[in-house]
Amino acid sequence: MKRSLCYIVYYFLLVMGLQAQCAPDFVLRTNETGTFELVDHTSKFTVLADVNDFAGVNLALQNLLSDFEKVTGTKPDLSNSFSDKNIKLIVGTYGKSAYVDQLVKDGKITKNDLQGKREKFIIQTLENPFEGTDKALVIAGSDMRGTIYGIYELSRQIGISPWYFWADVPVVKSENLYIKRGKYTAGEPAVRYRGIFLNDEAPALSGWSKATFGGFNHLFYEKVFELILRLKGNFLWPAMWGSAFYDDDPQNGVLADQMGIVIGTSHHEPMGRAHAEWKKYGSGKWDYSKNEKVLQEFWKTGFERIKNYETVVTLGMRGDGDEPMSEDANIKLLE
């Protein structure tokens, strides 16, 4: 069942404390003095975004539109033109969104808030961001993940838990939503890589994923990637009990790259190759002292496969199936 992933991620949350990366509360469900009305149940509003922004940003935006519909009952429109007269939300990445870059150029967004920053977002109310738009909420990211985190921060505050799918957390519904005027951010993450390891995933999670998605394929991982991003993480060691992330479904690596998830491999899967792949493609012994050339070619193929992706490569070599490589520890070879 899907809750088995929840138990795995629970330890991730204890260690990383990701909730500390949330911005201060800025969404209200009642109108107060000085607030900006984002959602009025009597009309739809428009989200402005640049189609040339990162694919991962556009995927997160589609989720945000659906989240608004779950919360308010109305799905916002998405536009690529600031001539739209009902724009209330502007979303984009500095250096990739013409609209965010224009706001920076006009001095309406502070350049130093974004330039050179890592995985940072700002969420800011603006008066007259563009001609014909009297006020809007802006989500701007320093890079792709920064923008995605800003999108999911808004989603969380309007009433969608990051756990809506994996733990069936109910949606907090509201017909109207208001924004406290100001600028909000969670800053830059203190830890570079923040993620989970789908360890000991068989038989609970593996059986459920096969019954639900057909296995550990991109349909399954899309849900896992989304959870990680909603929790402001960026990293995954994928399932490895008889599974091979890149080989089982070639779209797994493509999707991870698009969505902004850094992929690593576990403690005994060096050079970007899964242990299950050796059984399928390897020959001879899993022993570098006896099978050097075959292992080098096996690892080279793995490197060629991941060279265009954002990855963390595990070095070092244990024995086959996480067993000792030999009866005696070969310290010289290990070094």
Side-chain angles (χ1 to χ4, degrees):
M1 59 190 295
K2 64 186 180 183
R3 295 186 194 279
S4 61
L5 179 66
C6 297
Y7 303 141
I8 296 168
V9 179
Y10 172 73
Y11 295 102
F12 158 66
L13 290 175
L14 285 178
V15 174
M16 304 313 302
L18 286 183
Q19 290 306 316
Q21 292 185 32
C22 294
D25 291 343
F26 55 83
V27 175
L28 301 174
R29 284 164 176 76
T30 56
N31 194 5
E32 297 181 5
T33 303
T35 59
F36 159 47
E37 186 179 60
L38 181 62
V39 177
D40 176 357
H41 70 279
T42 63
S43 62
K44 295 177 70 174
F45 75 93
T46 299
V47 179
L48 176 66
D50 192 331
V51 294
N52 295 313
D53 211 323
F54 293 101
V57 169
N58 290 316
L59 288 171
L61 259 178
Q62 292 300 322
N63 286 337
L64 179 64
L65 299 181
S66 297
D67 290 348
F68 269 109
E69 186 173 23
K70 292 173 187 174
V71 171
T72 68
T74 302
K75 188 174 185 177
D77 293 324
L78 183 62
S79 176
N80 188 45
S81 172
F82 61 78
S83 61
D84 192 303
K85 300 304 180 185
N86 202 29
I87 294 170
K88 289 190 176 181
L89 178 61
I90 302 167
V91 180
T93 309
Y94 177 63
K96 285 289 286 186
S97 167
Y99 307 117
V100 168
D101 288 356
Q102 187 62 50
L103 291 172
V104 170
K105 183 179 179 181
D106 293 342
K108 296 180 179 180
I109 291 179
T110 303
K111 183 178 181 179
N112 289 340
D113 283 341
L114 300 172
Q115 188 177 48
K117 300 298 190 290
R118 176 175 55 84
E119 298 182 357
K120 181 184 177 183
F121 65 84
I122 58 170
I123 298 175
Q124 183 174 348
T125 55
L126 289 180
E127 302 292 329
N128 305 116
F130 299 114
E131 186 177 351
T133 301
D134 60 346
K135 56 183 178 291
L137 181 68
V138 178
I139 299 174
S142 62
D143 48 32
M144 178 173 70
R145 281 192 288 267
T147 308
I148 292 171
Y149 296 156
I151 290 170
Y152 286 136
E153 178 66 21
L154 176 60
S155 177
R156 183 186 69 82
Q157 293 208 22
I158 68 173
I160 302 292
S161 167
W163 296 93
Y164 78 94
F165 176 79
W166 290 102
D168 304 316
V169 178
V171 173
V172 180
K173 296 183 179 291
S174 182
E175 289 186 334
N176 301 311
L177 294 169
Y178 305 88
I179 306 296
K180 295 180 183 178
R181 294 179 185 272
K183 180 167 65 175
Y184 306 91
T185 184
E188 294 179 277
V191 178
R192 185 83 181 193
Y193 297 110
R194 311 168 306 281
I196 60 177
F197 176 19
L198 299 186
N199 192 18
D200 294 336
E201 71 276 10
L205 186 62
S206 59
W208 176 82
S209 67
K210 186 174 182 180
T212 307
F213 299 103
F216 290 127
N217 54 29
H218 71 281
L219 301 174
F220 164 80
Y221 278 114
E222 182 177 15
K223 293 295 186 182
V224 178
F225 297 160
E226 182 188 331
L227 173 66
I228 293 171
L229 292 169
R230 284 181 183 266
L231 292 169
K232 301 185 181 70
N234 60 7
F235 187 72
L236 176 72
W237 278 6
M240 46 76 69
W241 278 35
S243 300
F245 178 79
Y246 294 106
D247 193 60
D248 290 343
D249 182 351
Q251 289 302 307
N252 285 345
V254 173
L255 184 65
D257 187 61
Q258 286 180 341
M259 292 183 70
I261 297 296
V262 182
I263 298 296
T265 48
S266 74
H267 52 294
H268 75 106
E269 296 188 312
M271 319 297 187
R273 297 300 299 254
H275 176 250
E277 291 184 88
W278 177 251
K279 295 180 179 179
K280 188 175 179 180
Y281 300 113
S283 62
K285 289 195 172 192
W286 179 262
D287 186 335
Y288 195 77
S289 67
K290 297 183 174 73
N291 204 12
E292 176 180 340
K293 297 299 182 184
V294 173
L295 282 163
Q296 284 182 356
E297 186 60 32
F298 178 72
W299 290 329
K300 179 182 175 183
T301 304
F303 259 86
E304 289 172 344
R305 182 175 58 190
I306 65 174
K307 66 182 180 180
N308 293 321
Y309 297 148
E310 191 176 4
T311 57
V312 173
V313 178
T314 305
L315 302 177
M317 187 177 183
R318 295 193 183 193
D320 193 9
D322 209 16
E323 297 295 326
M325 192 174 296
S326 61
E327 291 184 8
D328 299 322
N330 190 333
I331 301 301
K332 184 177 179 181
L333 177 63
L334 180 64
E335 290 177 344

